[in-house]
C-alpha cells in the first residue's frame, strides 16, 4: 500500500468508522453467530499474494462484522462499559501511525513526559492527594499484579525476587486480604505472584456488600497469632457485581497499623470521582500504596488504558528493574524510564489518546456525561422499585443496577433464578439490548450498567420495555 492508496483507504475507513459510530444501533448489540461460524468462513491458509484493500474491507463487512458484539452500541448494558470516543480513536490512530515504543525516555521523550502529565491530570481530576505518581498500564489486572509484586517484595525485603519461593518459610505463608466481592484479577494476580489461592483471605462484607473493616482486623490478627505473614490488603471501590464501595477510611488505618501494602482497585468507579458529589468513594485513598482505575471503562478512552498510581515509584522500580546494558542510556539518572514501572518492556504511546480526550471534552463535559449515566441508572432503579413485580437487589451508588423479576406468589429462589436467566437469554437473543448477570447470595441478578458514550434516556427506556416484554412471557 503506497501513500496514495493509504490516504484513499484511510479516508474511507474514517468515513466507515464515523458512520458506524453514528449508527451502531443498526446491528444486533450481541453477535448472534454460532461458535465456529466465523472461523469456518475464513480460508484455511494464508494468502500467498497480496489482495486489494477493498476486498479485505468487503470481507470485513461480510464475514467479520456479523461476529462482532457492539460495545459501542447505545443499548450495550452488559458487564461494565468499555466506552470510547472520536478523539480517543484519533489518538489511537495517531499512536499507531507514529509506532512509538515508549519503553525509555529516550525512545520518545514526548511519550514519557506526556504520560507523566496526563497521569497528573487524571489524578487531579479524581481528587487524588499529592504524592502519587502514575503510569499507564494495559489493564487493571496488570496493575493489580504489579501491586501484589510490590507488596510481596516489601514483606520479604526483596528476598522473593532474589531467591524465588525458597525465600518463604512454607509454615509462614504471605497472606492477601480482600472481600469476597473483589474481582477475579486479584486471585489471578496472587497466583502469578506466587502467593497461592489458599493464602487469599476472604473478608466478610456488610449489607451493602462492602468490606467489613472489623472482620479485616480480626483476620489479620488471627493470621499473625497463627504465625502467618499478613502482606497486602486489596480494597475495591466499585465491585464488579454491584459497585459496592469498600470503606477506605476504615480499611486504611488497619493496613497501616499492620504495615501492610494497601492496593485500591477502582477499575470502573474511579472515573466517577471526577464528580464532586461522588468524591466520597475515594475517602481514605491517602492510606493507599497503589491505586488503579480504568479510563478505558468509563472515561471515553478506548480500550486499553489503565491508570496505575503508586505512592513510592522508587519501590516499584526496584521491584521491576532489570538493567541490561542494551537498555541503558546516558540520561538514566535524569529521566523516568517507564520500562521499570510495570511488566511490559515495550509500551504503546497511550497517553496521546488520553490527552486527546481530556482536551477535546474538557473536565466539565466529562462530568456532565458521567453524571448523565448515573442519573439514568438511578431512574431505571426507580422504575423497578415502582413496579410491583420487580426488585432492586443491591444499592445503586453509581451506574449499575442489579435487579430481578419477582412476580407475586413466586418466592422460591431456584424458580426465580430460572425465570430471570430465561428473561436475560431472551432479551439478549432478541438483539436489541445486551445485559449480563451476577449471582448475589445464590440469587440470580440481572445487571444493567449504563456507560456507553451514545446511551441516552430513550435507550434505557427501551431496555425497560424489552425486559417487561420478555418477563411477560416468563
Ligand atoms: N477490577 C474490577 C473491580 C473490575 O470490575 C474489573 C473488570 O470489570 C477488573 C478489575 C479487570 O479489569 P481489566 O479488564 O482492566 O483487567
Amino acid at each position: 500500500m503506497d501513500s496514495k492508496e493509504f490516504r484513499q483507504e484511510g479516508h474511507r475507513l474514517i468515513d466507515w468508522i464515523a458512520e458506524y459510530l453514528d449508527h451502531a444501533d443498526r446491528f444486533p448489540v450481541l453477535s448472534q453467530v454460532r461458535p465456529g461460524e466465523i472461523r469456518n468462513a475464513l480460508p484455511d491458509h494464508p494468502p500467498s499474494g497480496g489482495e486489494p484493500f477493498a476486498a479485505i474491507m468487503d470481507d470485513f463487512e461480510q464475514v467479520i462484522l456479523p461476529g462482532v458484539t457492539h460495545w459501542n452500541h447505545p443499548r450495550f448494558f452488559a458487564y461494565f462499559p468499555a466506552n470510547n470516543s472520536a478523539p480517543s480513536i484519533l489518538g489511537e490512530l495517531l499512536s499507531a501511525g507514529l509506532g512509538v515504543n515508549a519503553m525509555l525516555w529516550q525512545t520518545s521523550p514526548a511519550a514519557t513526559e506526556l504520560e507523566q502529565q496526563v497521569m497528573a491530570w487524571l489524578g487531579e481530576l479524581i481528587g487524588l492527594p499529592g504524592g502519587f505518581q502514575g503510569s499507564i498500564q494495559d489493564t487493571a489486572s496488570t496493575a493489580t499484579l504489579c501491586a501484589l509484586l510490590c507488596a510481596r517484595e516489601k514483606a520479604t525485603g526483596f528476598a522473593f525476587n532474589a531467591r524465588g519461593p525458597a525465600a518463604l518459610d512454607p509454615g509462614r505463608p504471605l497472606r492477601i486480604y480482600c472481600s469476597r466481592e473483589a474481582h477475579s484479577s486479584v486471585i489471578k494476580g496472587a497466583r502469578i505472584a506466587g502467593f497461592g489461592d489458599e493464602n487469599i483471605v476472604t473478608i466478610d462484607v456488610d449489607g451493602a456488600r462492602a468490606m467489613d473493616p472489623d472482620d479485616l482486623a480480626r483476620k489479620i490478627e488471627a493470621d499473625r497469632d497463627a504465625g502467618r505473614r499478613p502482606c497486602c490488603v486489596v480494597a475495591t471501590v466499585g465491585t464488579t457485581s454491584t459497585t459496592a464501595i469498600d470503606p477506605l477510611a476504615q480499611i486504611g488505618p488497619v493496613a497501616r497499623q499492620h504495615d501492610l501494602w494497601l492496593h485500591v482497585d477502582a477499575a470502573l468507579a474511579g472515573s466517577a470521582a471526577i464528580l464532586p458529589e461522588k468524591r466520597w468513594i475515594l475517602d481514605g485513598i491517602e492510606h493507599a500504596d497503589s491505586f488503579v482505575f480504568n479510563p478505558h471503562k468509563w472515561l471515553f478512552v478506548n480500550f486499553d488504558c489503565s491508570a496505575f498510581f503508586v505512592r513510592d515509584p522508587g519501590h516499584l522500580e526496584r521491584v521491576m528493574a532489570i538493567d541490561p546494558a542494551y537498555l541503558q542510556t546516558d540520561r538514566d539518572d535524569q529521566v523516568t524510564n517507564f520500562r521499570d514501572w510495570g511488566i511490559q518492556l515495550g509500551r504503546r504511546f497511550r497517553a496521546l489518546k488520553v490527552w486527546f480526550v481530556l482536551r477535546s471534552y474538557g473536565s466539565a463535559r466529562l462530568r456532565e456525561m458521567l453524571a448523565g449515566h448515573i442519573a439514568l441508572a438511578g431512574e431505571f432503579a426507580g422504575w423497578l422499585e415502582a413496579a410491583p413485580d420487580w426488585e432492586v437487589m443491591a444499592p445503586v451508588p453509581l451506574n449499575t443496577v442489579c435487579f430481578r423479576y419477582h412476580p407475586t406468589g413466586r418466592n422460591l429462589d431456584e424458580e426465580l433464578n430460572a425465570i430471570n436467566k430465561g428473561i436475560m437469554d431472551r432479551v439478549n437473543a432478541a438483539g436489541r439490548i445486551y445485559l449480563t448477570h451476577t449471582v448475589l447470595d445464590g440469587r440470580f441478578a440481572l445487571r444493567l450498567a449504563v456507560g456507553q458514550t451514545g446511551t441516552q434516556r430513550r435507550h434505557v427506556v427501551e431496555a425497560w420495555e424489552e425486559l417487561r416484554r420478555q418477563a411477560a412471557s416468563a
Side-chain angles (χ1 to χ4, degrees), residues 28-326:
V29 55
L30 174 65
S31 169
Q32 304 290 314
V33 298
R34 290 178 306 281
E37 202 175 319
I38 303 296
R39 183 133 193 223
N40 289 338
L42 295 166
D44 287 339
H45 304 289
S48 56
E51 300 180 55
F53 194 73
I56 305 171
M57 272 307 283
D58 273 354
D59 282 350
F60 166 73
E61 290 200 317
Q62 303 308 317
V63 180
I64 304 297
L65 204 51
V68 170
T69 288
H70 297 279
W71 284 70
N72 274 303
H73 199 295
R75 290 188 300 268
F76 181 103
F77 298 108
Y79 304 104
F80 279 149
N83 68 18
N84 199 348
S85 64
S88 180
I89 294 165
L90 293 177
E92 184 78 65
L93 183 62
L94 189 53
S95 166
L98 293 172
V100 154
N101 182 334
M103 61 184 186
L104 308 177
W105 179 86
Q106 179 177 281
T107 59
S108 213
T112 297
E113 295 188 17
L114 185 63
E115 185 164 333
Q116 290 173 310
Q117 199 57 17
V118 297
M119 287 299 292
W121 285 3
L122 287 172
E124 182 182 320
L125 282 173
I126 60 170
L128 214 55
F132 283 98
Q133 289 181 55
S135 66
I136 303 177
Q137 307 282 327
D138 52 5
T139 60
S141 303
T142 303
T144 294
L145 171 58
C146 290
L148 293 174
L149 294 169
C150 284
R152 187 191 74 190
E153 292 314 302
K154 177 184 162 174
T156 63
F158 292 89
F160 196 105
N161 261 6
R163 299 175 51 218
L168 299 181
D169 173 350
R172 300 192 61 227
L174 297 176
R175 307 279 274 177
I176 297 172
Y177 307 85
C178 60
S179 92
R180 63 176 159 86
E181 299 291 326
H183 189 259
S184 57
S185 55
V186 180
I187 302 170
K188 196 182 274 186
R191 281 184 189 173
I192 298 169
F195 288 87
D197 290 9
E198 65 186 25
N199 290 309
I200 301 169
V201 183
T202 305
I203 307 301
D204 292 345
V205 293
D206 64 16
R209 295 176 191 282
M211 186 191 283
D212 171 359
D214 295 333
D215 191 50
L216 173 68
R218 266 193 303 275
K219 285 182 172 150
I220 293 172
E221 275 151 29
D223 269 351
R224 277 217 195 287
D225 292 348
R228 294 182 280 257
R229 300 171 67 189
C231 173
C232 182
V233 179
V234 181
T236 312
V237 169
T239 58
T240 312
S241 277
T242 68
T243 66
I245 314 290
D246 287 350
L248 303 181
Q250 279 101 57
I251 292 168
V254 177
R256 279 253 167 104
Q257 183 197 339
H258 294 279
D259 197 24
L260 309 188
W261 189 276
L262 174 60
H263 175 60
V264 176
D265 173 5
L268 169 93
S271 295
I274 69 169
L275 296 166
E277 67 274 23
K278 295 293 176 190
R279 278 275 162 85
W280 63 268
I281 64 175
L282 294 183
D283 283 353
I285 190 68
E286 66 277 7
H287 300 295
D289 296 288
S290 55
F291 167 75
V292 65
F293 85 101
N294 284 355
H296 74 224
K297 276 186 162 52
W298 199 17
L299 210 58
F300 312 98
V301 178
N302 68 284
F303 189 82
D304 52 358
C305 180
S306 268
F308 179 47
F309 293 89
V310 288
R311 189 170 280 293
D312 180 1
H315 180 76
L316 174 63
E317 282 186 300
R318 193 168 160 209
V319 171
M320 297 290 176
I322 297 166
D323 201 26
Y326 49 78

Side-chain angles (χ1 to χ4, degrees), residues 348-364:
R348 301 194 309 112
F349 191 174
R350 296 188 186 90
L352 214 43
K353 61 186 175 183
V354 181
W355 192 52
F356 277 26
V357 168
L358 297 181
R359 292 192 56 189
S360 296
Y361 285 101
S363 53

